[in-house]
Amino acid sequence: MGTVADGLRLQVNGLDYLLLALYFGTVLGIGFIARMTVRTSSDFFLSGRSLPAWITGLAFLSANLGATEILGMAANGAQYGAMTVHYYWIGAVPAMVFLGIVMMPFYYRSGVHSVPEFLRRRFNRPTQQLNAVTFAVAQVLIAGINLYALALVMRALLGWPLPPAIVVAAAFVLAYITLGGLSSAIYNEVLQFFVILAGLVPLTVLGLIKVGGPSGLAEKIRASSLGEGGLHAWHGTGVGSENPMAANWIGIIFGLGFVLSFGYWTTNFAEVQRGLSARNTNAARLTPIVAAYPKLMIPAVTVIPGMIALVLFPQLGKANDYNDAIPLLMNDLLPSGVLGIALTGLIASFMAGMAANVSGFNTVFTYDLWKANVAKDRPDAYYIKVGRWVTVAGVAGGIGTAFIAAGFSNIMNYMQSLFAFFNAPLFATFIVGLFWRRMTPWAGFWGLLAGTLSAMASYVLYKAGVLDFGTDLNSSFWGAGIAFVVDVAVSVAVTFMTAPKPATELAGLVRGIKSDDLVDDSIAGDKAWFRSPVVLGVGALALGAALYLPLL
């Protein structure tokens, strides 16, 4: 199957290159400025816990707005049509609201540096180590996806072969993360959010004009390979019914909406880390909820362009990978100058996604693997140095795994398989341990291990033809559901065979057991309704439900 570079070379001129150069200069400048604020390991890994909710919220969203969101969701829009909105309205926002209202207080008030550290306190060190290793592996694999997508654009832009394009792209991310740590990543992510929109909004508008507006797009989708099913989110999802995703409502609601979604958004440290950098508990709770509102609207600049690309370029999925939808549209629709802005936005999205992966990786590796097992009592400056070297190692690993991503015609299919392996079982362990104080330390470990292995086994059996899930995407829904059920079942069984922790060791870590030394860290204005996580969270859920109505 062909790729962008086989038949596409973006027509850029000096103005476009100037815009790109200005952006890269700004990114590195932010890195140098952030470096001056790094005095402790908390500054490097958690921004000194000093940022307001609107900054951490936009960074939370931008950290997810990487290659999988731009190229991957556009690819899904071309391959599956309007059903892709499930990834936002049921597959993201409810979990983001739950994270903010329910789980973020436990993370933030416990004072942990990472999700694995929380698992150590709730369960035991083996559970922490298992999660730290699987998280580190997952982040390097996902960084490779972002890096591969960035290299694809650079190859189309400059005509470079893939290997040097990957290395050069990695060098920019490495530079600003190594300089300023999480602060550099977060402030760049806020900048990148606006740059991304500046690039994608014109693409969507010009694409809709070319296909005759929303009605013209609908007419052309009906005549495409997707047919009428490409225009609906829930129609045809009954058991035994047909739809472009080959998924039924059980897999969508339980597999995607509950297990995959909650597993990713509530336990993925690359996202949670942004909330932990907030200035107080309320700001931490608001972080994912602030992000939920723009998240609801992102399909307009990802899914819709993918559907436009399908009707304008029928070779998608045949002569060209679905991943090529956005670059093909950019080359066809955007004039010079606007093309430079769109290219800058696209590159910004990949850098934001990879930076989130690498900053999460360096924190977990430094604290949960290196400090816990190799060098326990060293000066603070030592761990900053280790974090910088681990950043180099993480980027180097991402360069290697970028070539794995190159083997998939739709990188979102690959990404969802990784989420089923690593995030779905972790969510099961978290949610049971958070609400059931009786759950024992070894139940956490064995449940997490069994859930992870069962997800991998279901994927292998699907690829071998033993299990038939219809599509790769649907197989990840079911794989996540299997992992969740197995994890819970094993956790319950092991709990009744092992001893639990005393309640005194679970204070602040389990629902219903409060810590005696909990301090009220609220600031002036936190009691206002427009800063209430519950009020804003319910509003986001209501808006998400309303957006579904035209696509039923």
Side-chain angles (χ1 to χ4, degrees):
M1 187 174 289
T3 62
V4 170
D6 295 333
L8 173 62
R9 177 70 182 276
L10 300 180
Q11 302 302 308
V12 294
N13 63 17
L15 177 59
D16 300 314
Y17 282 116
L18 176 61
L19 290 169
L20 283 168
L22 288 172
Y23 170 72
F24 281 118
T26 303
V27 163
L28 294 178
I30 290 174
F32 279 106
I33 293 170
R35 182 184 177 89
M36 294 186 291
T37 69
V38 176
R39 297 180 180 86
T40 68
S41 60
S42 178
D43 292 335
F44 187 81
F45 293 112
L46 291 176
S47 298
R49 291 183 176 240
S50 61
L51 303 178
W54 74 270
I55 288 180
T56 56
L58 289 180
F60 185 99
L61 178 65
S62 187
N64 179 252
L65 205 57
T68 55
E69 189 85 357
I70 307 302
L71 287 192
M73 287 302 181
N76 272 3
Q79 188 171 0
Y80 304 116
M83 291 188 75
T84 306
V85 300
H86 288 311
Y87 278 94
Y88 298 87
W89 300 340
I90 195 172
V93 171
M96 293 164 73
V97 171
F98 181 82
L99 170 63
I101 294 175
V102 178
M103 295 189 70
M104 193 58 81
F106 290 93
Y107 286 134
Y108 193 85
R109 289 170 177 168
S110 65
V112 298
H113 287 87
S114 67
V115 169
E117 185 182 349
F118 185 91
L119 290 175
R120 177 182 62 78
R121 296 189 185 184
R122 172 59 183 90
F123 298 109
N124 56 17
R125 188 170 295 281
T127 308
Q128 174 197 25
Q129 300 297 289
L130 174 60
N131 178 233
V133 170
T134 56
F135 175 83
V137 170
Q139 293 313 295
V140 171
L141 290 170
I142 297 169
I145 296 175
N146 283 291
L147 192 53
Y148 165 66
L150 176 51
L152 276 182
V153 175
M154 292 182 69
R155 186 166 67 168
L157 173 65
L158 302 171
W160 292 1
L162 192 62
I166 287 175
V167 172
V168 171
F172 282 100
V173 178
L174 175 62
Y176 75 78
I177 297 297
T178 304
L179 285 168
L182 185 62
S183 292
S184 180
I186 284 179
Y187 282 112
N188 268 306
E189 284 160 1
V190 173
L191 167 67
Q192 287 157 347
F193 171 74
F194 293 106
V195 173
I196 290 165
L197 289 185
L200 293 180
V201 169
L203 193 68
T204 304
V205 172
L206 292 174
L208 283 172
I209 291 173
K210 184 160 185 175
V211 297
S215 59
L217 177 61
E219 181 182 342
K220 291 177 173 62
I221 287 291
R222 290 189 182 96
S224 74
S225 57
L226 289 175
E228 181 69 28
L231 298 174
H232 300 282
W234 291 106
H235 180 73
T237 58
V239 177
S241 301
E242 295 184 0
N243 59 69
M245 201 177 279
N248 60 51
W249 66 269
I250 300 173
I252 294 170
I253 293 175
F254 180 67
L256 173 62
F258 180 60
V259 180
L260 273 175
S261 172
F262 279 67
Y264 175 80
W265 291 103
T266 67
T267 65
N268 183 6
F269 182 58
E271 300 292 337
V272 172
Q273 188 179 27
R274 272 74 193 147
L276 294 182
S277 67
R279 64 188 175 188
N280 66 352
T281 304
N282 197 65
R285 297 180 73 193
L286 285 173
T287 293
I289 296 173
V290 167
Y293 282 88
K295 183 72 173 178
L296 287 165
M297 307 304 170
I298 295 297
V301 293
T302 55
V303 181
I304 290 177
M307 296 170 69
I308 293 170
L310 176 69
V311 301
L312 292 181
F313 310 106
Q315 72 270 25
L316 276 178
K318 300 170 186 175
N320 285 93
D321 288 347
Y322 288 112
N323 295 329
D324 295 345
I326 291 291
L328 284 167
L329 281 178
M330 288 169 55
N331 191 59
D332 185 65
L333 298 175
L334 299 183
S336 180
V338 179
L339 177 59
I341 294 172
L343 276 171
T344 303
L346 199 56
I347 290 174
S349 73
F350 305 148
M351 292 176 68
M354 185 177 177
N357 303 136
V358 172
S359 59
F361 170 80
N362 68 23
T363 303
V364 166
F365 189 95
T366 302
Y367 278 107
D368 297 290
L369 294 175
W370 190 264
K371 184 177 181 180
N373 299 295
V374 180
K376 294 184 179 180
D377 299 306
R378 298 293 183 90
D380 210 42
Y382 171 82
Y383 296 113
I384 297 177
K385 182 184 290 186
V386 170
R388 288 195 166 112
W389 280 110
V390 169
T391 301
V392 175
V395 172
I399 291 172
T401 59
F403 294 96
I404 299 176
F408 290 81
S409 65
N410 185 337
I411 53 179
M412 181 52 69
N413 291 338
Y414 173 39
M415 174 67 81
Q416 293 303 313
S417 297
L418 295 180
F419 289 163
F421 295 165
F422 301 119
N423 293 99
L426 179 59
F427 173 63
T429 297
F430 250 97
I431 203 67
V432 176
L434 191 65
F435 288 96
W436 190 29
R437 68 179 68 181
R438 174 69 175 80
M439 186 176 176
T440 64
W442 284 107
F445 175 81
W446 289 110
L448 183 58
L449 181 61
T452 301
L453 294 177
S454 65
M456 293 178 176
S458 71
Y459 180 79
V460 171
L461 292 173
Y462 164 69
K463 285 298 185 181
V466 177
L467 296 176
D468 182 14
F469 294 122
T471 63
D472 289 350
L473 214 53
N474 195 41
S475 76
S476 67
F477 296 169
W478 284 98
I482 291 168
F484 184 89
V485 171
V486 169
D487 189 312
V488 172
V490 171
S491 296
V492 171
V494 174
T495 289
F496 289 114
M497 294 187 289
T498 54
K501 278 188 170 184
T504 54
E505 295 183 22
L506 298 177
L509 303 173
V510 177
R511 193 86 169 165
I513 306 180
K514 295 183 178 180
S515 176
D516 293 333
D517 58 357
L518 187 64
V519 177
D520 181 9
D521 61 358
S522 60
I523 60 176
D526 277 353
K527 302 299 182 183
W529 69 265
F530 54 84
R531 288 188 182 175
S532 167
V534 174
V535 171
L536 294 179
V538 170
L541 294 176
L543 182 56
L547 288 171
Y548 262 126
L549 295 178
L551 299 177
L552 293 177

